[in-house]
């Protein structure tokens, strides 16, 4: 038996931010990144809150949120004694807030089990509807996934006005993270009819709308569609987990500090080929992952005489999309030196195999498999 539920309420579309006007009499601990404060963009949120609520802004957040910043946030939260948490930003800000919420409760600092409203300012992580958070031990260079329903936001607020000014590189990095979420959820060993429906829809939306918003960031229809697609993909993988693509990305990201979506995109063609057992040739009997990838290929108009031909065409289509979006095709093209790669690949492989997302990959990888994917991704 499977139990499927969606605990997070979603506010989306035009004037979604107006939903904040209903909050009153709250002590709000608002977590965001420094750019939102320095640029003044945070006023898009606080303008809806200031007249009826008391607000404390915590903006000591950085990418790949380290444990040290989580600790500082918990101390500030304890001092302020809020009644509500609001997180505004990309995946790092939302993940940091989730970690603060979780550990504050475990340490007895949060006596009210605070509700969390998550407001993403990037269209990629899906963190606003997931029970995942990723935090980093900077000293060890290791990322730790935190997975528990205790960190699920109560509300996810999706307003495309908050991503309207996102630069092209961030738009495509986060957009391709959405694609990775869809692909991995779809072939997860835990996949079901409900997650498949969400993953299929998100997958189609990325191919339709990401090229449009990459070309024209002012296309607000495409912006909102990608914002929604990010959330849809998050709902899919929150049910069934991810796979080796993210397992390697978490491990390599801690070493190389490549933006997460960009790193996923470098790995993606090689992960698909590995999962579909493309080394056996296009005429070999397709495994379940190959059949599912072939179905995704058909959804974006790819016609092929057999499933593995469809997988091969899908891989080529993703490579073409990556090129169209002006994204690097390899670690080397991104700027990772061969010396650093040689020094770190064994450690990355070991960490990837231990990562919680790798557990639901459709093929069970060993260290040799991961090293092969890494080498293919290097040059």
């Amino acid at each position: 038996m499977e139990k499927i539920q969606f605990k997070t309420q979603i506010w989306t579309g035009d004037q979604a931010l107006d939903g904040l006007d209903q909050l009153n009499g709250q002590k709000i601990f608002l977590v965001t990144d420094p750019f939102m404060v320095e640029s003044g963009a945070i006023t898009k949120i606080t303008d809806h809150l200031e007249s009826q609520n008391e607000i404390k802004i915590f903006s000591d957040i950085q990418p790949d949120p380290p444990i040290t910043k989580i600790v500082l946030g918990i101390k500030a939260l304890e001092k302020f004694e809020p009644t509500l948490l609001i997180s505004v930003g990309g995946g790092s800000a939302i993940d940091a807030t989730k970690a603060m919420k979780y550990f504050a409760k475990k340490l007895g600092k949060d006596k009210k089990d605070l509700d969390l409203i998550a407001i993403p300012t990037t269209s990629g992580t899906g963190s606003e509807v997931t029970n995942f958070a990723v935090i980093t031990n900077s000293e060890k260079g290791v990322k730790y996934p935190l997975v528990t329903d205790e960190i699920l936001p109560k509300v996810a607020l999706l307003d495309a006005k908050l991503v309207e000014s996102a630069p092209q590189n961030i738009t495509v990095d986060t957009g391709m993270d959405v694609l990775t979420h869809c692909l991995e959820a779809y072939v997860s060993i835990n996949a079901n009819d409900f997650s498949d429906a969400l993953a299929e829809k998100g997958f189609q939306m990325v191919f339709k709308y990401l090229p449009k918003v990459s070309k024209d960031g002012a296309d607000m229809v495409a912006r909102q569609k990608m914002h929604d697609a990010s959330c849809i993909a998050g709902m899919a993988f929150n049910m069934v987990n991810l796979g080796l693509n993210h397992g390697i990305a978490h491990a390599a990201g801690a070493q190389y500090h490549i933006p997460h979506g960009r790193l996923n995109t470098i790995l993606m063609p090689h992960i698909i080929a590995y999962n579909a057992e493309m080394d056996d040739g296009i005429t070999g009997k397709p495994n379940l992952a190959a059949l599912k990838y072939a179905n995704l290929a058909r959804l974006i108009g790819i016609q092929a005489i057999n499933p593995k031909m469809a997988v091969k065409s899908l891989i080529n289509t993703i490579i073409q999309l990556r090129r169209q979006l002006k994204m690097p095709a390899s670690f080397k093209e991104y700027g990772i030196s061969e010396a650093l790669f040689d020094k770190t690949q064994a450690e990355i492989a070991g960490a990837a195999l231990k990562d919680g997302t790798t557990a639901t990959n459709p093929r069970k990888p060993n260290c040799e498999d991961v090293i092969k994917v890494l080498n293919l991704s290097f040059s």
Side-chain angles (χ1 to χ4, degrees):
M1 180 179 69
E2 294 175 285
K3 294 184 179 179
I4 297 168
Q5 59 185 338
F6 301 101
K7 292 185 176 181
T8 305
Q9 187 177 91
I10 299 169
W11 303 349
T12 186
D14 291 341
Q15 284 80 52
L17 284 170
D18 291 350
L20 296 174
D21 295 338
Q22 65 189 259
L23 299 176
N24 61 80
Q26 300 277 1
K27 291 187 68 176
I28 298 172
F29 190 74
L30 194 159
V31 181
T32 190
D33 55 72
F35 174 79
M36 288 293 294
V37 175
E38 293 162 6
S39 67
I42 197 63
T43 59
K44 294 179 181 178
I45 309 300
T46 56
D47 283 352
H48 291 273
L49 301 170
E50 287 178 332
S51 63
Q52 301 292 330
N53 306 279
E54 183 181 351
I55 306 170
K56 166 68 177 177
I57 296 177
F58 180 85
S59 62
D60 193 2
I61 297 295
Q62 63 190 62
D64 301 324
I67 294 169
T68 52
K69 299 298 183 184
I70 306 302
V71 172
L72 290 175
I74 292 171
K75 289 179 179 177
L77 183 153
E78 179 185 15
K79 184 176 180 181
F80 183 63
E81 296 184 343
T83 60
L84 177 67
L85 294 174
I86 295 181
S87 182
V88 183
S92 294
I94 297 175
D95 281 5
T97 313
K98 287 177 171 180
M100 291 174 201
K101 171 180 168 64
Y102 177 77
F103 289 112
K105 183 178 180 181
K106 291 298 178 186
L107 295 169
K109 311 298 184 184
D110 171 12
K111 298 178 176 63
K112 306 178 187 68
D113 193 15
L114 299 170
D115 287 335
L116 168 60
I117 297 176
I119 308 176
T121 59
T122 61
S123 305
T125 68
S127 189
E128 67 277 4
V129 286
T130 72
N131 63 358
F132 283 60
V134 180
I135 55 178
T136 302
N137 185 323
S138 301
E139 292 181 1
K140 294 183 178 180
V142 177
K143 290 188 175 185
Y144 299 105
L146 175 64
V147 186
T148 170
D149 284 348
E150 294 179 57
I151 61 175
L152 270 170
K154 183 176 182 180
V155 174
L157 194 159
L158 311 177
D159 194 315
K161 289 192 290 292
L162 295 172
V163 293
E164 183 177 7
S165 61
Q168 190 271 349
N169 64 314
I170 292 177
T171 296
V172 299
D173 285 349
T174 54
M176 290 299 278
D177 195 21
V178 177
L179 188 65
T180 317
H181 293 157
C182 294
L183 285 162
E184 294 209 284
Y186 201 61
V187 299
S188 164
I189 61 172
N190 292 337
N192 56 54
D193 291 340
F194 301 90
S195 62
D196 280 359
L198 291 163
E200 287 174 0
K201 181 62 176 179
F203 179 84
Q204 291 174 293
M205 291 172 75
V206 171
F207 271 93
K208 183 173 182 178
Y209 294 107
L210 184 56
K212 291 182 179 181
V213 79
S214 172
K215 185 178 180 180
D216 178 12
D219 184 339
M220 294 307 292
V221 172
R223 283 281 187 198
Q224 187 65 54
K225 291 292 186 181
M226 281 304 302
H227 220 35
D228 290 347
S230 174
C231 186
I232 289 168
M235 294 167 71
F237 83 75
N238 194 59
M239 273 192 277
V240 298
N241 204 353
L242 293 162
L244 182 60
N245 203 320
H246 269 78
I248 296 177
H250 290 154
Q255 295 285 346
Y256 301 152
H257 306 291
I258 302 173
H260 177 68
R262 188 154 294 216
L263 180 47
N264 273 331
T265 309
I266 290 171
L267 297 165
M268 190 184 299
H270 310 297
I271 296 291
I272 294 172
Y274 168 74
N275 285 340
E277 298 179 335
M278 295 302 287
D279 282 351
D280 292 346
I282 60 174
T283 59
K285 183 179 179 180
N287 62 12
L288 179 58
L291 292 172
K292 296 198 79 171
Y293 287 135
N295 190 55
L296 289 178
R298 286 189 290 272
L299 292 177
I300 56 172
I302 293 173
Q303 303 295 324
I305 59 173
N306 67 45
K308 284 203 165 182
M309 281 292 292
V311 177
K312 184 176 180 181
S313 295
L314 175 62
I315 291 170
N316 289 335
T317 301
I318 289 171
I319 290 171
Q320 291 168 9
L321 176 63
R322 186 173 64 188
R323 186 179 302 118
Q324 180 184 355
L325 300 177
K326 302 180 176 64
M327 302 181 79
S330 66
F331 294 145
K332 187 175 182 179
E333 186 178 338
Y334 180 82
I336 302 302
S337 70
E338 189 167 356
L340 177 60
F341 178 74
D342 289 343
K343 179 182 177 182
T344 55
Q345 63 172 303
E347 185 176 349
I348 289 170
L353 291 173
K354 294 176 183 176
D355 193 274
T357 58
T358 300
T360 46
N361 197 67
R363 286 185 69 187
K364 186 174 177 61
N366 57 34
C367 190
E368 184 180 340
D369 294 329
V370 179
I371 292 288
K372 182 177 180 180
V373 169
L374 286 169
N375 280 316
L376 289 169
S377 303
F378 177 72
S379 57

